[in-house]
Amino acid sequence: MKKILVTGGTGYIGSHTVVELLKNPDYSIDIIDNLSNSKEHVVDLIAEIAGKKPNFIKGDLLDFELLKSLFEKNDYDIIIHFAGLKAVGESVEKPLEYYENNIQSTINLLRLVRTDKPTDFIFSSSATVYGEQDSPKCVETMQTGTKLTNPYGRTKYFIEEILKDYANTNPNFCATILRYFNPVGAHPSGLLGEDPNGIPNNLMPVVMRTYTGEIPALNIFGDDYDTPDGTARRDYIHVVDLARGHIASLEHSKPGISIYNLGTGLPTSVKEIIAAFEEASGKKLNTNIAPRRSGDLPECWADPSKANAELGWHTELTIADAIRDTLNYLNKQ
Ligand code: WQD
């Protein structure tokens, strides 16, 4: 039996990953989450889907004493670290909150990782660490950390560097950095989906709330980019494919630092996302053309070939699947 600690496991990506982890009878799972951007009820939804209930600890990773007592009671073989603040715009307004929360929580975890036996550590990173590159197609060997446009992205970059430095001190540390592109979609059961607290920043939750009428109209941030339809292009990956990427990386963990892009390798524009959603829902969305959002890149998508080759992982779900599953989730709320 392998003991796994999943931080942020009631969140959007964390919960979908726990569902996939529970398919393995050899995994015993503890979720720790402070519920700052999720609900405890997600634990029951995970159990309903998976037929098994993970343990849940309500707690904050900044509470070192709580974390220390958890590690004294549990000998974790694997840590999957999702917990973190992740709103790009909010990070510009509250940089100290982002640096303290995202970085200190990771350091607290690293202080408790055992050095006398192998421990797998999977870190939820982001394509944001690439910043502006000469090519919109991101490869793991590219220089990261330059021209980052917000504190959120910088926390992800700094944590990647901290993991690299820590790995040099602990030969039993088997770290995998997974750089997510743009997660979208929901679990096909309709029980789990993206449900951020407050006003969403990301495109798909805004599309969802425009569809339900919570948001009167979707602002398209710029239609004058040098792209086929003038709107910015991103790599939208179904959250279930993303979750499965975590399972694949666990099965290939090794000492030191391994870095993988988790994306489809296909760029999709804002207008294409809107058109696909209108097609699937049969409802025209109200949209406005608004000025470009500061910090946005015209284009960014993954070269996933390293994860494909080394992890044997490929995305299998499409944008249409993600929109179908999102509508199914919305209709069940
Ligand atoms: C996508 C595109 C917007 C909203 C960020 C983080 C990344 C990850 C995902 C956490 C852009 C456009 C958006 C809207 C719009 N974060 N857009 N109107 O900025 O690519 O990535 O979120 O996991 O780390 O950097 O994602 O969904 O905010 O934007 O036109 O109301 O949609 O301009 O071109 P982004 P996004």
Side-chain angles (χ1 to χ4, degrees):
M1 187 65 96
K2 290 218 167 188
K3 197 102 174 97
I4 306 183
L5 177 66
V6 181
T7 76
T10 54
Y12 174 45
I13 301 162
S15 56
H16 284 82
T17 302
V18 171
V19 164
E20 297 300 319
L21 288 167
L22 286 169
K23 291 177 180 172
N24 187 330
D26 294 336
Y27 290 157
S28 164
I29 296 162
D30 288 353
I31 291 175
I32 182 167
D33 201 305
N34 66 4
L35 303 178
S36 63
N37 195 25
S38 59
K39 301 173 181 70
E40 186 171 349
H41 177 54
V42 167
V43 179
D44 300 322
L45 299 175
I46 291 170
E48 189 174 338
I49 296 168
K52 277 167 65 180
K53 189 166 187 175
N55 301 319
F56 175 72
I57 302 107
K58 183 175 186 294
D60 196 314
L61 300 182
L62 293 181
D63 181 346
F64 185 73
E65 289 311 311
L66 167 79
L67 215 47
K68 186 163 175 280
S69 69
L70 192 61
F71 274 73
E72 282 165 353
K73 292 184 198 112
N74 299 279
D75 183 9
Y76 291 115
D77 302 290
I78 300 166
I79 296 163
I80 307 180
H81 182 31
F82 292 103
L85 297 173
K86 64 164 199 169
V88 168
E90 183 186 56
S91 78
V92 176
E93 293 156 30
K94 303 176 181 174
L96 297 185
E97 192 173 333
Y98 270 68
Y99 287 126
E100 180 179 39
N101 185 79
N102 291 4
I103 295 173
Q104 188 59 54
S105 62
T106 306
I107 292 172
N108 285 352
L109 285 169
L110 294 177
R111 283 190 187 287
L112 294 164
V113 168
R114 283 180 57 174
T115 55
D116 60 338
K117 62 161 232 179
T119 300
D120 293 342
F121 190 98
I122 296 185
F123 175 58
S124 161
S125 191
S126 165
T128 315
V129 302
Y130 287 110
E132 210 168 303
Q133 297 284 343
D134 295 338
S135 159
K137 186 172 186 177
C138 298
V139 185
E140 291 87 347
T141 49
M142 282 176 169
Q143 173 69 39
T144 56
T146 56
K147 299 181 189 172
L148 299 187
T149 59
N150 58 80
Y152 159 78
R154 275 187 279 277
T155 66
K156 292 297 186 182
Y157 168 68
F158 292 154
I159 293 167
E160 286 194 7
E161 296 306 299
I162 290 166
L163 293 176
K164 291 172 191 170
D165 289 338
Y166 176 75
N168 290 333
T169 69
N170 176 355
N172 278 317
F173 190 58
C174 306
T176 304
I177 292 171
L178 299 178
R179 291 174 181 161
Y180 307 160
F181 283 71
N182 291 62
V184 289
H187 191 268
S189 66
L191 294 174
L192 294 177
E194 191 168 16
D195 183 16
N197 295 344
I199 299 169
N201 295 284
N202 292 145
L203 178 62
M204 194 58 88
V206 173
V207 166
M208 291 158 67
R209 296 199 183 161
T210 306
Y211 168 74
T212 61
E214 285 173 74
I215 293 177
L218 185 157
N219 288 322
I220 296 174
F221 296 140
D223 69 345
D224 57 351
Y225 286 106
D226 182 16
T227 60
D229 67 14
T231 61
R233 299 204 288 177
R234 294 290 185 273
D235 185 331
Y236 297 96
I237 175 173
H238 195 297
V239 65
V240 171
D241 273 332
L242 186 59
R244 289 173 179 158
H246 293 71
I247 309 305
S249 66
L250 270 182
E251 289 157 2
H252 293 81
S253 77
K254 55 185 183 290
I257 296 280
S258 306
I259 302 177
Y260 298 99
N261 288 335
L262 294 187
T264 67
L266 303 170
T268 304
S269 76
V270 176
K271 279 184 177 173
E272 286 170 328
I273 290 286
I274 292 167
F277 202 95
E278 291 177 333
E279 165 82 21
S281 64
K283 179 175 180 181
K284 183 123 181 65
L285 296 174
N286 291 333
T287 62
N288 297 317
I289 300 298
R292 293 182 179 189
R293 182 172 66 177
S294 68
D296 272 350
L297 295 172
E299 298 184 297
C300 172
W301 65 88
D303 176 341
S305 52
K306 185 181 176 192
N308 299 159
E310 294 185 13
L311 304 182
W313 169 86
H314 296 75
T315 53
E316 296 165 9
L317 299 166
T318 64
I319 297 271
D321 293 325
I323 291 172
R324 177 203 62 219
D325 294 336
T326 297
L327 283 167
N328 180 43
Y329 171 69
L330 281 175
N331 294 333
K332 292 197 171 180
Q333 296 316 302

